[in-house]
Amino acid sequence: MNKVLRRSKTDRKVAGVCGGIAEYFGVDPTLIRLAWILLVFCAGGGILAYIIALIIMPE
């Protein structure tokens, strides 16, 4: 079975990026969302990374 990284259509809060990443790795979407929040506040690149993922990842 080929796993494909896609935005989630069912588990989305903003655009489905975190839900899609969570489905791909088989983890809870809340953990991915918390990691994004940490990237935004600690590293400052989280918003840019989210926008790039939103553009690159198919729905």
Side-chain angles (χ1 to χ4, degrees):
M1 183 173 102
N2 291 332
K3 292 186 346 181
V4 178
L5 182 59
R6 297 186 179 273
R7 289 187 284 150
S8 177
K9 292 182 181 180
T10 57
D11 188 18
R12 53 172 59 203
K13 298 292 182 193
V14 177
V17 173
C18 293
I21 292 171
E23 288 175 8
Y24 183 80
F25 289 111
V27 297
D28 186 32
T30 305
L31 296 174
I32 302 298
R33 290 182 183 111
L34 287 173
W36 281 109
I37 291 171
L38 287 175
L39 281 174
V40 168
F41 289 115
C42 295
I47 295 172
L48 181 61
Y50 192 89
I51 292 171
I52 291 170
L54 175 64
I55 293 169
I56 293 174
M57 288 173 60
E59 190 166 350

